[in-house]
């Protein structure tokens, strides 16, 4: 028996689909060098395995620059899949990455199916039979159980939305196909303009769903909290309390925390990634300046920002307020730290005294930043348990409920890949329609789109179009 | 086993309809002694319902059948009284030829072919049951008790098995007006464990030509140019061409039908069988599309000399008095006289997942089923099945391989694969939308697709093969010439291009690239000194391939992906050993016994994940085989 698949060049995003510092696109297949070279004309004539090449990725047709990238080449027999492969590191911007994938596909690759790199590794003898047993499980997990697990979700909002899209799509297909197979029966069919409008609307829905992948990523892969504030207000200690571990470097001299350090914890089954950022202080230190830029990036992508100041130094609050004003967005929890320094230690555990001060502080903060400040709390890193309770309480009340989205979300790569191909097919159908080619040509791409969506739903498409024709039209000569 | 077993004929075909005819002709032409049993010899080749052959997707099948050596196309051409190429304004893949035939002349011509065929005998008799010997079908037992022995038996009983006709509350046994039903056979097969179910179909009234006021209808003429179905036919019409006439039902018609619905056997629960959704009765149309005030109907003459008019689109099983009343509300039919009222017929069919791609039953070797008893509808669907069953019955006796067509090769392949893989719940009709490779399954390239297969079958004459091979070579030659010869942009050329009108060339291009421009056609190339074959049969298919190469290429890509699963054989695989299949999936796979992974993926209820699970299982088995150097039982299934 012939090995299947092995002729195709496959590509996929190897890193997560959201925004990240870098994003890696993996390409595998006997002809992958040919495909990659179309985009990466910077590759020397002879390339060496396990070496990276730097240059600009370009669209082979338009010549426009897609991104600057590092392409690492792995020769046949020395790669993960066992085939000639490339790993292309780009900037981790989803728009750039999807553009790179689209261009690879236009150059002859196709999107990899779930587990396909591993399957190839298995088929090419890179992993042995015991490992294959695990691969089998993995493929099953990616297909059977993942399909069945996602069925639970598919019964809900996503399923309803996909079904709605496919109902519309089958409506269009029924028009197109009835016009072909029952052209002599005097049916009243949509005109070209109507078809154009309907297909465009369907494509818009699909694009909107594709965009939800990054939201879903948060829901399924965790939400993001950024810890920010002027230096030396105790952010790293706070992080350590949150993690109950020694993740961050804690030091008394300002500006010690230069890189964003992150860790994850789980509350109510939702994964939370917390970034301890460098402060927002103006600095002439070049290395620290990079850290500060990174802080801004993290704040932008964060679901909630913990703005920390030192209660014993009012200027830190002013500083924080200045930064909130210039950042001008985000959902903030303002934390007055080191309450033990301003309040009698005995008062720390006295909620009444604390809350009076807090109410005052909250009122003034909320009045100053009505759109940004969700809440404010006084805490002390000396009181580990109390602080944890306060913070987790805030998260449970204010942040987590928003994460349980009521809207349909694309939540895994299998769904994303299929939907991505559906979107491409719809785009081609529109192109065909505007070129006034026959409807049987539009049908090729519309059917492919419907097939891809049905693959997400786990349906079979065979009879669906014909069923729809009979439902919509009065036939029978 | 028994050397002295009685053998009267090598092959028996039961039923002389469109399936039976092709079955007995192909087997006798392959040199096997064949007996055609018909309950009514005068009705061999009779067109029971509408007077048309072909149409969309159906026309494709008639052409395919013709290139392989079937009879339907030739006879349809010979008796054509109106020809139309449907969808002529649409793309080339979905154009379909339709012929309206003179019904009497059609059956007379078919009977003549059969009577003149060597190796073929015809006997008028009714079959009661099949004879089973040592688990095989060994012939048939007639109603009178006599037995006829054969090595292969093909049943093509149409709508006759336990057929019941309905008109209002009148119910009578029969498979067709004027013909008796056939009893015994389906009950016998059911007793052997065959899944037998009911289907329903219907036919409209036949009207007397003289009683119609034609001035109130609209004449509809066919095309002036004839593209005959058959490679044997002349491109001149054999008979005078006539018009059909268009009229419409009115609100008054619908009101009468609505008022009498309770008297329709369809609506009072007398009929259990499922009818075809694409050919609903007029009562169905009125009920399901209540908002429509009118439905069109074509009045089609049944022949040049016939006084009968077929009322296309108005099939019904309402009582006679209701039919009389509503017919008179259709313009032109105010004083109509009815020769025969419409009726519905309900009949037994065998759930077709019980047969193999060869159309032999799984349960009883030597027994083949073809045509309407497999759940199809239409003359063309029946004819191609008859041909495949006849050819396979014959080939199995000649120790030749099974004749099976791929879905990417022919509509015949789509039809049979659909039937044996998915089964059917309503009378199955072919549509172009059933063919996922529609763009390459065209009428114009039938010869290119099937000539090699036809050579293997050997039913066409040497001269015809030579002629068709030449045609194929000429096409290939023209295509090659378009690729290699170039058009250079000198001033004269540019002027001519602008005159077409089209845009000037920026650099030299091949004639193929130039022809790809939407506004340029083959004949335009002559102006540039490029020699274009004068025979449109040569130039047309090539031009189509060039113009639509982008779409065809995309479909070929899909096809390539899909063929991979088609190339993975599954016969004999123990599905219970495959991990990750649901019980439902296992049961379906056991029932259909798919030949390939591709076929498995098309079984309804077998999910894409199951296909991957099977694939992974096969890979594991292959690796173990390689490492052990022998075929060992797969152990993934039992390990945990």
């Amino acid at each position: 028996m012939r090995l299947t698949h092995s002729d195709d060049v496959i590509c996929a995003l190897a890193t997560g689909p959201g925004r990240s510092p870098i994003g890696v696109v993996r390409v595998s297949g006997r002809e992958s060098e040919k495909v990659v070279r179309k985009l990466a004309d910077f590759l020397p004539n002879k390339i060496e395995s396990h070496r990276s090449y730097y240059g600009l990725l370009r669209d082979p047709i338009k010549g426009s620059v897609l991104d600057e990238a590092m392409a690492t080449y792995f020769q046949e027999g020395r790669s993960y899949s066992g085939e000639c492969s490339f790993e292309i590191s780009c900037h981790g911007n989803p728009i750039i990455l999807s553009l790179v994938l689209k261009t690879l596909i236009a150059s002859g690759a196709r999107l990899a199916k779930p587990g396909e790199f591993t399957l190839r590794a298995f088929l090419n003898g890179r992993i042995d039979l015991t490992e294959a047993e695990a691969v089998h499980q993995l493929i099953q997990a990616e297909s059977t159980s993942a399909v069945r697990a996602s069925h639970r979700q598919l019964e809900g909002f996503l399923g309803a939305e996909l079904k709605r899209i496919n109902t519309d799509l089958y409506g269009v297909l029924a028009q197109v196909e009835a016009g072909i197979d029952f052209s002599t029966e005097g049916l009243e069919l949509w005109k070209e303009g109507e078809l154009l409008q309907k297909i465009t609307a369907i494509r818009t829905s699909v694009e909107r769903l594709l965009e939800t992948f990054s939201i879903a990523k948060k829901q399924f892969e965790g939400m993001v909290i950024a810890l920010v504030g002027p230096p030396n207000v105790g952010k790293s200690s706070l992080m350590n309390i949150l993690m109950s571990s020694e993740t961050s470097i804690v030091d008394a001299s300002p500006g010690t925390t230069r890189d964003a350090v992150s860790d994850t914890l789980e509350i109510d089954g939702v994964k939370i990634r917390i970034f301890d950022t460098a402060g927002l202080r103006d600095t002439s230190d070049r290395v620290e300046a990079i850290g500060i830029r990174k802080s801004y990036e993290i704040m932008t992508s964060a679901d909630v920002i913990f703005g920390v100041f030192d209660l014993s130094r009012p200027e830190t609050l002013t500083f924080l307020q200045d930064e909130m004003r210039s950042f001008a967005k985000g959902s903030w929890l303002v934390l007055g730290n080191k309450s033990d320094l301003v309040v009698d230690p005995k008062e720390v555990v006295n909620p009444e005294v604390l809350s009076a001060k807090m109410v005052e502080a909250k009122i003034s903060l909320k009045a100053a930043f009505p759109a940004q400040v969700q809440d404010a709390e006084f805490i002390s890193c000396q009181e580990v348990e109390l602080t944890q309770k306060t913070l987790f309480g805030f998260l449970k009340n204010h942040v987590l409920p928003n994460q349980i989205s009521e809207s349909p979300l694309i939540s895994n790569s299998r769904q994303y890949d299929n939907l991505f191909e559906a979107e491409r097919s719809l785009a081609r159908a529109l192109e065909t329609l505007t070129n006034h080619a026959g409807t049987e040509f539009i049908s090729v791409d519309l059917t492919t789109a419907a097939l891809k969506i049905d693959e997400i739903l786990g349906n079979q498409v065979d009879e669906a179009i014909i069923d729809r024709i009979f439902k919509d039209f009065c036939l029978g000569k | 086993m028994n050397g002295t077993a009685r053998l009267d004929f090598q092959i028996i075909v039961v039923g002389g309809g469109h399936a039976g005819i092709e079955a007995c002709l192909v087997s006798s032409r392959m040199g096997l002694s064949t007996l055609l049993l018909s309950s009514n010899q005068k009705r061999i080749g009779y067109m029971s319902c509408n007077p048309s052959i072909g149409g969309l997707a159906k026309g494709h099948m008639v052409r395919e059948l013709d290139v392989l050596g079937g009879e339907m196309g030739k006879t349809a051409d010979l008796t054509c009284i109106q020809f139309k190429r449907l969808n002529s304004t649409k793309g080339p893949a979905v154009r379909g030829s339709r012929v309206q035939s003179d019904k009497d002349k059609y059956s007379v011509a078919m009977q003549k072919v059969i009577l003149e065929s060597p190796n073929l005998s015809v006997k008028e008799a009714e079959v009661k049951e099949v004879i089973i010997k040592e688990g095989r079908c060994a012939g048939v037992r007639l109603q009178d008790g006599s037995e006829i022995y054969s090595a292969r038996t093909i049943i093509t009983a149409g709508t006759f098995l336990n057929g019941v006709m309905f008109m209002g509350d009148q119910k009578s046994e029969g498979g067709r007006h004027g013909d008796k039903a056939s009893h015994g056979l389906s009950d016998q097969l059911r007793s052997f464990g065959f899944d037998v179910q009911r289907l329903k179909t219907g036919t409209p009234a036949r009207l007397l030509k003289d009683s119609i006021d034609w001035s109130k209808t609209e004449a509809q003429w066919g095309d002036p140019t004839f593209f005959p179905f058959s490679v044997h036919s002349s491109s001149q019409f054999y008979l005078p061409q006539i018009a059909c006439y268009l009229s419409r039902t009115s609100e008054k018609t619908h009101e009468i039908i609505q008022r009498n619905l309770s008297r329709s056997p369809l609506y009072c629960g007398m009929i259990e069988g499922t009818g075809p959704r694409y050919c609903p009765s007029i009562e169905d149309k009125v009920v399901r599309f209540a908002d429509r005030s009118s439905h069109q109907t074509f009045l089609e003459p049944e022949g040049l000399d016939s006084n009968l008019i077929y009322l296309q689109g108005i099939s019904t099983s309402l009582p006679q008095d209701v039919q009389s009343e509503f017919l008179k509300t259709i313009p032109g039919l105010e004083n109509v006289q009815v020769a025969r009222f419409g009726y519905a017929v309900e009949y037994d069919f065998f759930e077709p997942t019980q047969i193999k791609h060869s159309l032999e039953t799984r349960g009883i070797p030597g027994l083949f089923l073809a045509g309407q008893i497999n759940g199809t509808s239409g003359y063309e669907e029946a004819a191609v099945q008859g041909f495949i069953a006849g050819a396979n019955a014959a080939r199995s006796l000649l120790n030749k391989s099974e004749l099976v067509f791929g879905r990417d090769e022919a509509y015949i392949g789509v039809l049979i694969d659909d039937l044996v893989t998915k089964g059917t719940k309503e009378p199955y009709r072919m549509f172009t939308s059933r063919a996922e490779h529609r763009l390459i399954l065209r009428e114009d390239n039938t010869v290119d697709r099937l000539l090699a297969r036809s050579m293997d079958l050997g039913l066409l004459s040497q001269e015809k093969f030579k002629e068709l091979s030449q045609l194929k070579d000429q096409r290939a030659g023209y295509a090659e010439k378009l690729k290699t010869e170039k058009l250079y942009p000198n001033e004269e050329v540019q002027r001519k291009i602008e005159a077409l009108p089209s845009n000037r060339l920026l650099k030299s291009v091949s004639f193929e690239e130039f022809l790809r421009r939407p506004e340029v056609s083959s004949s335009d190339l002559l102006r540039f000194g490029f020699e274009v074959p004068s025979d449109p049969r040569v130039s047309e298919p090539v031009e189509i391939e060039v113009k639509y190469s982008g779409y065809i290429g995309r479909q070929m890509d899909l096809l390539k992906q899909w063929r991979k699963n088609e190339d993975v054989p599954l016969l004999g695989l123990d599905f219970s050993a495959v991990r990750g299949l649901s019980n439902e999936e296992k049961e379906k796979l056991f029932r259909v016994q798919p030949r390939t992974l591709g076929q498995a993926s098309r079984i309804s209820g077998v999910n894409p994940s199951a296909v991957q699970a099977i694939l992974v299982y096969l890979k594991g088995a292959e690796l173990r085989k390689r490492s052990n150097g022998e075929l060992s039982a797969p152990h993934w299934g039992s390990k945990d």
Side-chain angles (χ1 to χ4, degrees):
Chain A
M1 192 191 309
R2 218 155 68 78
L3 294 184
T4 59
H5 305 301
S6 52
D7 296 343
D8 292 340
V9 175
I10 54 172
C11 64
L13 197 56
T15 45
R19 210 171 273 277
S20 53
I22 63 160
V24 178
V25 170
R26 213 195 274 177
V27 187
S28 178
R30 198 179 301 146
E31 304 280 337
S32 57
E33 191 184 331
K34 218 169 98 192
V35 172
V36 171
R37 275 188 187 279
K38 288 188 190 166
L39 283 72
D41 53 9
F42 56 84
L43 290 177
N45 286 337
K46 201 166 159 21
I47 46 176
E48 282 176 55
S49 189
H50 294 73
R51 275 203 55 184
S52 299
Y53 299 90
Y54 168 82
L56 295 176
L57 291 178
R58 288 174 195 277
D59 185 319
I61 295 159
K62 296 183 210 136
S64 54
V65 174
L66 302 171
D67 195 10
E68 52 179 340
M70 294 280 279
T72 312
Y73 168 63
F74 302 90
Q75 75 181 58
E76 193 181 315
R78 291 187 63 197
S79 71
Y80 171 69
S81 63
E83 302 167 331
C84 163
S85 308
F86 285 84
E87 285 180 3
I88 307 171
S89 303
C90 309
H91 289 103
N93 177 329
I95 299 163
I96 292 175
L97 291 167
S98 90
L99 207 63
V100 171
L101 280 175
K102 279 178 198 179
T103 314
L104 282 167
I105 290 164
S107 306
R110 68 164 168 82
L111 274 181
K113 295 195 169 65
E116 195 170 2
F117 288 96
T118 313
L119 178 65
R120 287 185 175 201
F122 164 52
L123 297 181
N124 291 321
R126 294 291 292 174
I127 44 182
D128 68 20
L129 211 57
T130 35
E131 288 170 291
E133 184 79 54
V135 172
H136 176 69
Q137 299 280 19
L138 184 132
I139 292 166
Q140 286 298 97
E142 285 285 350
S143 55
T144 316
S145 62
V147 169
R148 277 164 197 167
S150 60
H151 263 161
R152 275 188 303 256
Q153 185 208 347
L154 285 171
E155 281 162 15
F157 302 109
L158 177 62
E161 174 65 1
L162 288 173
K163 277 179 206 150
R164 189 192 65 74
I165 291 174
N166 248 14
T167 305
D168 289 353
L169 199 46
Y170 281 125
V172 177
L173 270 165
Q175 291 282 336
V176 168
E177 293 294 333
I180 294 168
D181 273 326
F182 301 96
S183 58
T184 55
E185 301 206 8
L187 304 176
E188 284 164 27
L189 297 165
W190 292 344
K191 301 276 177 299
E192 204 173 278
E194 235 168 326
L195 284 176
L196 198 71
Q197 193 192 332
K198 300 275 183 186
I199 300 172
T200 307
I202 293 169
R203 187 185 172 198
T204 309
S205 301
V206 169
E207 283 174 331
R208 224 174 271 147
L209 260 191
L210 278 173
E211 285 163 12
T212 65
F213 199 10
S214 55
I215 304 171
K217 188 180 173 268
K218 275 185 194 131
Q219 188 168 327
F220 288 85
E221 296 180 10
M223 51 172 292
V224 174
I225 295 174
L227 274 178
V228 296
N232 211 19
V233 293
K235 299 192 301 292
S236 300
S237 310
L238 202 58
M239 174 103 167
N240 288 348
I241 286 178
L242 280 168
M243 306 317 306
S244 303
S245 68
E246 300 284 324
T247 331
S248 301
I249 315 153
V250 187
D251 196 296
S253 77
T256 311
T257 310
R258 283 178 175 161
D259 288 321
V261 176
S262 77
D263 211 335
T264 53
L265 71 154
E266 205 175 289
I267 303 173
D268 287 355
V270 176
K271 213 197 275 177
I272 299 175
R273 180 166 286 267
I274 302 179
F275 285 90
D276 179 4
T277 70
L280 287 169
R281 196 186 57 149
D282 280 333
T283 178
S284 50
D285 181 338
R286 212 181 69 81
V287 178
E288 199 171 312
I290 293 169
I292 288 169
R293 204 172 65 222
K294 214 175 233 172
S295 298
Y296 274 107
E297 278 171 21
I298 290 164
M299 283 161 71
T300 305
S301 68
D303 298 277
V304 65
I305 304 167
F306 284 181
V308 189
F309 71 97
D310 183 344
L311 280 167
S312 66
R313 293 187 289 145
E315 72 275 13
T316 59
L317 176 61
T318 314
F319 192 100
L320 191 66
Q321 285 171 325
D322 286 345
E323 293 302 327
M324 284 170 76
R325 212 168 284 122
S326 64
F327 187 64
K329 56 191 171 186
S331 177
W332 293 69
L333 170 66
V334 179
L335 294 170
N337 195 12
K338 307 190 185 177
S339 60
D340 50 301
L341 297 181
V342 288
V343 192
D344 189 299
K346 271 173 274 163
E347 283 182 25
V348 173
V349 288
N350 185 342
E352 274 173 41
V353 177
L354 261 180
S355 63
K357 288 196 177 196
M358 223 151 57
V359 167
E360 201 181 314
K362 269 185 204 176
I363 289 170
S364 66
L365 269 167
K366 280 189 175 172
F369 303 96
Q372 284 168 274
V373 175
Q374 299 294 316
D375 216 336
E377 299 283 358
F378 287 180
I379 52 167
S380 165
C381 291
Q382 307 301 314
E383 297 292 333
V384 174
E385 268 178 47
L386 189 68
T387 303
Q388 277 180 346
K389 211 177 130 196
T390 308
L391 294 177
F392 290 173
F394 170 82
L395 289 174
K396 280 186 187 180
N397 291 331
H398 292 83
V399 186
L400 294 179
N402 298 336
Q403 295 302 308
I404 311 304
S405 173
E406 292 279 311
S407 56
L409 299 173
I410 285 297
S411 60
N412 64 36
S413 61
R414 186 186 72 88
Q415 294 169 352
Y416 184 85
D417 290 352
N418 278 311
L419 206 60
F420 179 81
E421 288 185 25
E423 191 276 327
R424 291 288 78 210
S425 297
L426 288 167
R428 275 200 295 264
L430 284 169
E431 193 187 308
T432 304
L433 193 60
T434 25
N435 290 340
H436 307 288
T439 42
E440 72 273 30
F441 300 113
I442 304 171
S443 172
V444 176
D445 292 320
L446 290 182
T447 310
T448 307
L451 249 153
K452 292 293 166 193
I453 292 173
D454 267 316
E455 213 170 301
I456 304 175
L457 287 164
N459 291 343
Q460 274 169 327
V461 71
D462 290 337
E463 299 292 319
I465 301 165
I466 288 167
D467 286 343
R468 184 63 189 260
I469 295 175
F470 294 139
K471 197 167 150 264
D472 288 1
F473 295 103
C474 179
L475 298 165
K477 299 190 5 148
Chain B
M1 209 164 238
N2 187 346
T4 60
R6 186 176 143 195
L7 190 69
D8 302 310
F9 292 90
Q10 284 168 299
I11 290 174
I12 292 176
V13 176
V14 181
H18 305 283
I21 288 172
E22 300 293 347
C24 71
L25 285 176
V26 66
S27 74
S28 60
R29 283 168 182 171
M30 287 170 79
L32 300 164
S33 69
T34 305
L35 173 69
L36 173 63
L37 287 170
S38 164
S39 59
N40 186 345
Q41 217 171 314
K42 286 194 286 298
R43 287 241 170 142
I44 289 174
Y46 183 70
M47 300 167 84
S48 312
C49 200
N50 67 350
S52 301
I53 303 260
L56 293 162
K58 289 163 170 271
H60 291 76
M61 286 196 292
V62 177
R63 285 183 199 279
E64 288 168 0
L65 184 60
D66 179 73
V67 170
L68 297 172
E71 202 60 30
M72 177 171 260
K74 277 187 253 180
T75 311
D77 289 339
L78 203 63
T79 57
C80 168
I81 53 175
Q82 188 185 83
F83 173 82
K84 249 193 163 132
R85 205 161 192 207
L86 306 178
N87 282 348
S88 53
T89 60
K90 292 205 166 65
V94 294
R95 286 175 206 151
S97 305
R98 187 185 67 195
V99 149
Q100 198 182 319
S101 278
D102 183 308
K103 277 188 168 184
D104 291 336
K105 289 191 166 58
Y106 186 92
S107 53
V108 167
M110 273 302 189
Q111 288 168 23
K112 186 163 176 279
V113 172
I114 285 170
L115 292 175
E116 288 172 358
S117 283
N119 306 324
L120 179 56
S121 310
V122 183
K123 183 179 165 72
E124 194 169 275
E126 242 187 274
V127 172
K128 186 166 171 254
E129 54 192 27
V130 293
I131 302 168
I132 306 292
K133 286 259 162 81
E134 290 161 359
R136 294 187 58 87
C137 181
V140 295
R141 194 168 289 116
L142 304 180
Q143 291 290 354
D144 65 10
S146 61
E147 296 181 334
I148 308 174
Y149 285 84
S150 65
R152 301 286 182 271
T153 302
I154 304 165
I155 311 279
T156 68
T159 59
F160 283 44
L161 298 180
N162 290 337
V164 179
M165 297 184 293
F166 294 87
M167 191 194 295
D169 52 7
Q170 284 176 36
K171 189 174 153 185
S172 55
E173 291 194 344
R176 174 172 66 198
H177 179 82
D179 283 307
K180 286 183 288 182
S182 168
H183 296 289
L185 198 54
S186 52
D187 299 325
Q188 182 200 23
L189 291 181
R190 187 185 276 120
S191 77
F192 293 151
F194 276 82
D195 183 3
V196 185
Q197 292 171 27
R198 299 289 274 174
L199 281 177
K200 174 241 139 183
T201 187
T203 198
R206 307 299 196 277
L207 315 174
L208 290 182
K209 198 192 257 174
D210 313 336
S211 66
I212 296 167
D213 179 358
W214 296 101
S215 68
K216 292 186 176 154
T217 63
E218 195 185 310
Q220 308 269 313
W221 290 90
D223 298 349
T225 321
F226 187 34
F227 295 104
F229 284 126
S230 177
V231 294
H232 303 276
S233 300
S234 132
S235 58
Q236 304 297 311
F237 290 113
Y238 292 88
L239 296 174
Q241 300 297 291
I242 52 118
C244 294
Y245 297 85
L246 177 65
S247 189
R248 306 189 141 268
T249 60
S250 64
E251 284 183 3
K252 181 79 186 136
T253 323
H254 299 182
E255 188 267 313
I256 295 166
I257 292 168
Q258 277 286 359
R259 180 152 42 81
N260 289 288
L261 274 182
S262 60
R263 297 179 63 198
S264 161
L266 282 175
Y267 283 87
C268 63
M270 278 168 76
I271 293 180
E272 311 157 27
T274 314
R277 287 174 298 177
Y278 48 83
C279 193
S281 62
I282 186 68
E283 37 283 36
D284 260 344
K285 291 188 193 181
V286 168
V287 171
R288 288 187 45 221
F289 297 90
D291 54 324
R292 287 191 58 165
S293 58
S294 174
H295 297 280
Q296 67 177 20
T297 173
F298 288 97
L299 283 69
E300 303 179 345
E302 293 211 336
L304 291 176
D305 309 319
S306 168
N307 193 27
L308 294 180
I309 298 295
Y310 179 90
L311 193 60
Q312 182 82 268
I314 313 284
S315 98
T316 179
S317 55
L318 283 163
Q320 287 194 11
D321 58 302
V322 182
Q323 290 193 35
S324 285
E325 193 185 349
F326 84 66
L327 285 175
K328 291 193 164 64
T329 63
I330 297 172
L333 305 186
E334 292 82 358
N335 298 306
V336 76
Q337 283 182 303
V338 178
R340 196 161 65 238
F341 286 96
Y343 59 89
V345 56
E346 197 184 46
Y347 55 95
D348 283 347
F349 82 105
F350 300 98
E351 219 291 315
T353 56
Q354 302 169 101
I355 51 179
K356 302 192 254 182
H357 280 86
S358 62
L359 300 187
E360 188 176 20
T361 61
R362 274 183 216 297
I364 305 176
L367 179 67
F368 291 72
L369 305 177
Q372 234 164 337
I373 56 168
N374 287 337
T376 60
S377 113
Y379 307 145
E380 306 80 0
E381 287 84 350
V384 300
Q385 286 177 70
F387 183 88
I388 296 293
N392 278 319
R395 287 172 74 90
S396 68
L397 288 173
L398 298 167
N399 287 321
K400 289 187 173 167
S401 62
E402 280 185 356
L403 180 67
V404 175
F405 290 95
R407 298 179 69 90
D408 52 341
E409 229 179 337
Y411 273 88
I412 299 175
V414 175
L415 170 76
I416 292 176
D417 187 63
D418 272 356
L419 289 176
V420 307
T421 306
K422 294 187 216 155
T424 188
K425 290 184 180 66
E426 69 181 326
Y428 178 104
R429 177 179 141 184
M430 183 51 73
F431 303 116
T432 68
S433 49
R434 295 198 195 270
E436 57 276 53
H437 308 297
R438 176 161 69 187
L439 296 186
I440 52 173
L441 299 185
R442 305 191 306 271
E443 280 196 338
D444 65 76
N445 67 359
T446 314
V447 167
D448 308 66
R449 284 188 278 130
L450 297 175
L451 191 62
R453 301 297 299 271
S454 182
M455 283 191 178
D456 178 44
L457 269 168
L459 292 172
L460 298 189
S461 68
Q462 283 306 314
E463 297 78 64
K464 196 44 83 177
F465 275 131
K466 231 169 130 189
E467 181 197 320
L468 295 179
S469 304
Q470 271 171 5
L471 185 67
K472 205 179 157 193
D473 294 346
Q474 282 168 354
R475 286 175 185 173
Y478 178 43
E480 186 55 33
K481 212 169 122 196
L482 281 169
K483 267 197 191 69
T484 46
E485 290 195 17
K486 288 204 162 179
L487 185 59
Y488 296 97
N490 61 43
E491 241 344 279
E492 194 195 340
V493 164
Q494 298 286 37
R495 230 178 321 109
K496 283 181 185 169
I497 291 175
E498 281 179 338
L500 276 177
S502 185
N503 292 329
R504 293 167 70 97
L505 293 180
L506 293 176
K507 56 178 175 110
S508 67
V509 293
S510 70
F511 277 92
E512 183 187 66
E513 283 170 81
F514 187 56
L515 183 58
R516 206 164 282 146
R517 293 184 173 191
E519 64 277 11
V520 177
S521 71
S522 254
S523 56
D524 292 328
L525 302 185
L526 289 166
R527 303 186 202 189
F528 303 93
F530 185 85
E531 217 177 293
V532 178
S534 55
D535 186 349
R537 291 189 305 161
V538 176
S539 59
E540 197 187 280
V542 177
E543 187 176 338
I544 289 166
E545 298 272 348
V546 168
K547 288 224 181 279
Y548 299 103
S549 58
Y551 298 99
I552 292 172
R554 207 139 73 228
Q555 191 151 77
M556 291 299 274
D557 281 348
L558 272 174
L559 194 141
K560 214 168 87 189
Q561 300 257 323
W562 168 84
R563 261 199 186 139
K564 287 173 179 167
N565 280 349
E566 246 20 67
D567 286 346
V568 179
L570 289 187
L571 278 181
L573 182 73
D574 176 11
F575 293 107
S576 65
V578 180
R579 242 174 43 183
L581 298 179
S582 70
N583 286 336
E584 188 203 348
E585 282 164 345
K586 281 182 192 163
E587 190 199 308
K588 295 243 159 96
L589 289 162
F590 274 121
R591 174 160 181 158
V592 174
Q593 290 291 322
R595 301 161 65 92
T596 65
L597 194 58
Q599 194 195 350
S601 70
R602 289 189 295 278
I603 300 171
S604 56
V606 172
N607 293 307
S609 59
V611 175
Q612 276 193 338
I614 296 170
L615 196 62
V616 169
Y617 172 83
L618 290 172
K619 297 300 164 205
E622 187 190 13
L623 284 186
R624 276 189 306 281
K625 200 166 101 187
R626 214 185 286 153
S627 58
N628 298 347
E630 60 182 55
L631 235 178
S632 59
H635 65 265
W636 282 359
S638 55
K639 204 167 174 183
D640 58 23

